[in-house]
Amino acid sequence: MDRVSSFDEPLKKLLGGATAKVMAEHLDLHTVGDLLHHYPRRYEERGKLTALADLPLDEHVTVVAQVADARILMFNNGRGKRLEVTLTDGSGRLQLVFFGHGVHKPHKELLPGRQAMFAGKVSVFNRKMQLAHPTYQLLDASDADEATEAVDAFAGRLLPIYPACKQLDSWRIAKAVDAVLPSARDAVDPLPASLREGRGFTPLPEALLKVHRPQTKADVEDARARLKWDEAFVLQVALARRRYADTQLPAVARRPTPDGLLDAFDAKLPFTLTEGQQKVSKEIFDDLATEHPMHRLLQGEVGSGKTMVALRAMLVVVDAGGQAAMLAPTEVLAQQHHRSITEMMGELAEGGMLGGSDRGTKVVLLTGSMGMAARRQALLDLVTGEAGIVIGTHALIEDKVQFHDLGLVVVDEQHRFGVEQRDALRSKGKQPPHLLVMTATPIPRTVAMTVFGDLETSVLDQLPAGRSPIASHVVPAKDKPHFLSRAWERVREEVENGHQAYVVCPRIGDDAEEEKKGRAKKKGPEEDPDKRPPLAVLEIADELRRGALAGLVVEVLHGRMHPDEKDDVMRRFAAGDVHVLVATTVIEVGVNVPNATAMVIMDADRFGVSQLHQLRGRVGRGSAPGLCLLVSEAHEASPARARLSAVAATLDGFELSRIDLEQRREGDVLGQAQSGVRSSLRMLTVIDDEEVIAAAREEAVAVVAADPELEHLPELRTVLAALLDKDREEYLDKG
């Protein structure tokens, strides 16, 4: 069997159809290589008990614990039987429950003092942690027992605990790994020999054996160090090759024109740009002046003036005879950008119109819900080149949209766009246009190096002068209801002082589908009966109009409203005619109403850290200080409350993004658009392995500079080809 093909062998050949089917459907493991890269999550020492106190809710877990007691209970007038078993490990207790005919075997085997491995999903019933109908394997059984084999296998060894699922326990996965382990010696080693020897790494086949069947803790450390490095290095080589390929693409250089649109715009600015804005603008202008496409990520704290920087870049391109397109994730945001950009530009945005400047250009809006006549005119302005700047949603990507000469694409809140959408817009230029990606979600350096590794990064971390501080407080609605009453009084006080407020809720409400989903979810026997559905915009708005905020103008804004209706509400709120806007997270990005000073976030524990930070950035945008109240019914000692306290304690988005990443781990934070990386990062954690990633990036850049096609590194090329299947290619194709 040749060295690559044993890794490509389908699992059903070695494990049988049933097991292979479960692995494919529930764990996304299809080949021998996939299973060998399904690493243990942790290791147990035989006789050392797991901390039951730390079990995560709603996760499938494997624990090693001791039976403290077991009892059979009758219910339904003696017709039903239930076996309850209590496990202990010194740190906590855990209840197991078995029903019906399933009670006989465990009743005989799970005697007090017995030790076993148990696997199941952790739930809460009657406020106690429990595993319902767990599978188990005894670890201290007598010779006559079928588990003797297991005891021998585990005696004196580290016990690998694998990421498992309901249909397949950790120890069954371990048995399957035993069947494929001999193939580990066929592993193709991606590291150049000089690099491997220079860093003293364990050979790859040995690392795979050590990670699955370690004899000592040192084995585990060795294996992890090697496997982490491989993941980081292969990914960084892929990104370095992508950056190299981009430098080979042609693009039209766009240089600032003296006395053009940009100079006219800068001359009428009523304030000076911050140092940060000037520095980042220079980086962008330098990129635009080159003959290969710019690929730059602009990270900026909420309100740091990213739109101003992007607009100045667009004006340079218009001056140089090209067109610029700005892509926004929602219609509300596209309309908001269009409004603020035309206001900032004044007569410069009315090129060719009566009263417009002779140096001006047309700024058009293009969204899916526009009327036919306005749409036809906008399309015409784009194809003739009359409009230098277009702002729109993904309606910009449709086939019908043609540009005269597209020179720059600005993508706002990049993580909300699929890769295909960005590519479709890029393909509308005669040559690849320059690309500027903006995000207000601060991204830790390591994530920027992996997820956005093919983009050069600029950071705006200064707030423009005149921005006010935001005070944030947690309002514990359950423990201290009078705090919530005080929150509504504060909102009323802000309005009486001439300001406005937002109230944010997780759900819209009043939707049959939504209600049905909520009810279905609540049904399960192990669901916490106290758990209510999230608060809804329509209900809270009604309550406030009738109660705490009676007499004020309270309006709603959410995604199911007609676009004209949304625009009307936003216009009236911006004009100050609406006192309180009760909304979903549609206001999360880009909404700019400087007079809004207070925000109350209901069920704040149901939002992520970065999302709360984004929402909070909607207040304190003017000269008056901002106030953000995080309302929660979460228990004081819960992780949810700890998250809220972290948000209340700092306005530093980078600090919060780190906390967010630590709590949610990679998958969530990187978002669905980047999910291609999920399968390639198994050992590496983006948050903890900053040094590994930085070192791997350095090595990768050197390797690609010396040999862009990897002609002298066939093994690395083979591994890259396996990593970069179609999905992964698209994931990397950000620029």
Side-chain angles (χ1 to χ4, degrees):
M1 196 184 291
D2 78 51
R3 282 154 54 92
V4 190
S5 63
S6 72
F7 263 49
D8 294 337
E9 191 86 36
L11 284 171
K12 61 171 175 277
K13 273 194 171 174
L14 285 158
L15 305 178
T19 306
K21 188 168 187 260
V22 172
M23 286 196 166
E25 285 175 9
H26 298 281
L27 296 170
D28 196 20
L29 305 174
H30 306 273
T31 63
V32 167
D34 290 345
L35 182 52
L36 284 173
H37 289 301
H38 186 71
Y39 307 130
R41 179 177 282 164
R42 57 191 171 82
Y43 303 85
E44 285 294 351
E45 291 173 64
R46 184 155 144 44
K48 176 174 165 285
L49 298 176
T50 324
L52 295 180
D54 300 337
L55 289 181
L57 257 185
D58 283 339
E59 270 195 33
H60 200 83
V61 298
T62 303
V63 295
V64 177
Q66 201 159 19
V67 177
D69 65 69
R71 59 209 165 278
I72 283 196
L73 304 171
M74 300 294 191
F75 57 93
N76 266 358
N77 294 328
R79 289 197 297 278
K81 245 186 213 180
R82 182 168 85 236
L83 171 65
E84 285 187 1
V85 178
T86 307
L87 303 181
T88 178
D89 70 346
S91 81
R93 295 168 89 78
L94 176 67
Q95 193 159 298
L96 311 181
V97 59
F98 300 88
F99 293 101
H101 298 303
V103 305
H104 304 303
K105 188 166 182 265
H107 188 223
K108 278 196 303 213
E109 295 180 339
L110 297 178
L111 305 172
R114 277 274 168 93
Q115 203 180 354
M117 280 199 290
F118 301 89
K121 192 174 184 187
V122 184
S123 56
V124 169
F125 185 66
N126 280 345
R127 301 186 179 274
K128 280 188 190 157
M129 297 269 239
Q130 72 164 27
L131 297 182
H133 276 285
T135 51
Y136 62 90
Q137 184 171 10
L138 298 170
L139 291 180
D140 55 357
S142 63
D143 282 349
D145 200 293
E146 62 192 23
T148 315
E149 229 176 276
V151 182
D152 293 343
F154 296 134
R157 279 237 192 122
L158 289 170
L159 225 69
I161 305 292
Y162 287 92
C165 62
K166 186 178 167 188
Q167 295 77 2
L168 207 59
D169 314 309
S170 171
W171 51 89
R172 293 208 179 99
I173 296 172
K175 274 193 175 131
V177 169
D178 284 335
V180 301
L181 255 185
S183 301
R185 62 174 176 272
D186 299 331
V188 174
D189 197 325
L191 296 192
S194 57
L195 197 161
R196 189 173 63 240
E197 286 149 21
R199 290 184 174 266
F201 284 130
T202 305
L204 184 56
E206 195 184 316
L208 288 168
L209 287 169
K210 280 181 170 177
V211 81
H212 288 292
R213 297 294 171 263
Q215 299 294 325
T216 62
K217 286 180 180 171
D219 282 355
V220 176
E221 289 311 307
D222 270 6
R224 281 180 181 245
R226 168 67 215 254
L227 296 167
K228 267 183 189 183
W229 180 272
D230 280 19
E231 282 177 14
F233 179 70
V234 171
L235 186 59
Q236 290 302 335
V237 168
L239 292 165
R241 289 186 75 197
R242 183 58 46 114
R243 288 193 300 274
Y244 177 82
D246 285 339
T247 63
Q248 307 306 302
L249 286 175
V252 179
R254 313 279 179 174
R255 296 182 181 86
T257 313
D259 296 328
L261 199 49
L262 178 66
D263 285 353
F265 175 75
D266 282 350
K268 65 193 285 297
L269 274 183
F271 50 83
T272 53
L273 297 174
T274 65
E275 236 174 273
Q277 285 174 317
Q278 289 173 359
K279 180 175 120 320
V280 170
S281 287
K282 185 184 180 319
E283 290 170 351
I284 292 170
F285 292 176
D286 289 349
D287 281 358
L288 289 173
T290 61
E291 290 181 354
H292 61 80
M294 164 171 83
H295 287 95
R296 192 166 280 282
L297 170 70
L298 172 55
Q299 293 188 60
E301 272 289 14
V302 181
S304 56
K306 293 184 300 298
T307 310
M308 171 63 71
V309 169
L311 175 56
R312 293 182 75 242
M314 295 199 283
L315 296 177
V316 166
V317 170
V318 175
D319 273 345
Q323 290 168 294
M326 183 185 248
L327 200 55
T330 64
E331 294 212 347
V332 167
L333 191 49
Q335 286 160 341
Q336 172 90 28
H337 275 319
H338 182 253
R339 207 160 33 237
S340 62
I341 283 174
T342 46
E343 276 167 18
M344 284 196 274
M345 287 177 66
E347 75 282 1
L348 296 174
E350 295 164 1
M353 289 186 259
L354 204 60
S357 161
D358 51 356
R359 281 189 290 187
T361 186
K362 240 185 186 183
V363 178
V364 301
L365 176 69
L366 190 63
T367 64
S369 64
M370 278 167 79
M372 274 316 288
R375 190 178 171 75
R376 202 172 294 124
Q377 185 59 53
L379 291 173
L380 188 66
D381 288 342
L382 286 180
V383 78
T384 58
E386 188 84 8
I389 294 177
V390 58
I391 294 149
T393 54
H394 47 253
L396 278 178
I397 296 165
E398 290 165 15
D399 292 345
K400 287 195 283 286
V401 182
Q402 298 298 321
F403 289 86
H404 177 64
D405 178 13
L406 180 61
L408 169 67
V409 175
V410 178
V411 180
D412 195 16
E413 289 306 321
Q414 183 275 348
H415 58 280
R416 292 158 178 258
F417 276 99
V419 173
E420 302 80 6
Q421 292 170 308
R422 288 192 297 273
D423 284 353
L425 193 55
R426 278 177 73 187
S427 68
K428 290 183 178 291
K430 292 187 175 74
Q431 288 190 328
H434 298 282
L435 176 77
L436 179 65
V437 167
M438 301 199 296
T439 177
T441 308
I443 301 162
R445 180 169 162 254
T446 43
V447 179
M449 281 194 295
T450 43
V451 182
F452 301 100
D454 53 342
L455 300 173
E456 299 299 330
T457 305
S458 294
V459 178
L460 270 180
D461 46 14
Q462 265 177 308
L463 288 189
R467 277 297 162 87
S468 303
I470 305 170
S472 308
H473 304 283
V474 179
V475 177
K478 207 169 192 173
D479 314 344
K480 300 179 179 168
H482 60 287
F483 275 38
L484 184 57
S485 314
R486 176 70 190 121
W488 300 126
E489 281 171 25
R490 283 291 290 111
V491 169
R492 198 177 268 283
E493 286 163 16
E494 289 297 312
V495 173
E496 281 163 5
N497 288 332
H499 297 301
Q500 292 157 279
Y502 299 99
V503 177
V504 181
C505 303
R507 206 165 55 94
I508 299 171
D510 190 29
D511 175 37
E513 257 317 286
E514 212 173 32
E515 296 302 327
K516 209 159 63 192
K517 252 186 342 209
R519 278 202 302 275
K521 247 182 143 166
K522 280 195 73 167
K523 256 192 196 143
E526 292 128 27
E527 278 289 335
D528 181 349
D530 301 342
K531 193 94 167 153
R532 56 162 177 74
L535 294 171
V537 166
L538 301 174
E539 292 150 23
I540 293 291
D542 278 349
E543 274 175 39
L544 292 175
R545 285 184 192 117
R546 288 200 307 268
L549 302 182
L552 302 186
V553 182
V554 177
E555 292 280 8
V556 301
L557 182 71
H558 57 75
R560 280 208 306 271
M561 287 162 65
H562 186 277
D564 293 347
E565 221 183 325
K566 279 194 261 192
D567 199 38
D568 175 57
V569 170
M570 271 318 297
R571 274 179 198 281
R572 288 190 294 121
F573 187 62
D577 302 336
V578 173
H579 298 136
V580 179
L581 188 61
V582 184
T584 55
T585 53
V586 290
I587 61 149
E588 180 186 347
V589 284
V591 173
N592 183 22
V593 179
N595 192 44
T597 52
M599 174 176 285
V600 181
I601 303 179
M602 308 303 291
D603 277 344
D605 46 280
R606 301 194 188 226
F607 297 97
V609 170
S610 293
Q611 202 172 25
L612 291 169
H613 181 59
Q614 290 293 320
L615 288 165
R616 169 172 63 185
R618 301 301 113 215
V619 296
R621 299 177 79 85
S623 51
L627 172 69
C628 179
L629 302 173
L630 306 165
V631 180
S632 167
E633 291 186 2
H635 188 270
E636 200 170 350
S638 65
R641 272 288 282 281
R643 240 186 10 246
L644 296 183
S645 302
V647 174
T650 178
L651 291 172
D652 180 341
F654 284 93
E655 174 58 27
L656 287 174
S657 69
R658 214 180 159 83
I659 294 168
D660 199 14
L661 196 50
E662 277 167 2
Q663 292 199 336
R664 292 160 59 193
R665 308 314 293 181
E666 290 66 45
D668 277 354
V669 179
L670 307 188
Q672 284 311 298
Q674 278 79 29
S675 61
V677 79
R678 190 201 64 77
S679 347
S680 61
L681 296 191
R682 295 169 186 275
M683 186 64 83
L684 195 71
T685 54
V686 171
I687 188 76
D688 302 324
D689 297 319
E690 185 164 337
E691 283 163 29
V692 176
I693 292 168
R697 181 178 172 122
E698 223 169 278
E699 295 277 12
V701 168
V703 164
V704 172
D707 182 4
E709 294 305 313
L710 308 179
E711 283 167 19
H712 305 297
L713 298 167
E715 292 83 5
L716 178 55
R717 224 174 40 239
T718 302
V719 172
L720 263 181
L723 170 76
L724 298 184
D725 54 29
K726 188 167 177 298
D727 296 349
R728 223 68 44 73
E729 271 281 41
E730 285 178 354
Y731 145 69
L732 287 172
D733 202 351
K734 284 208 183 31

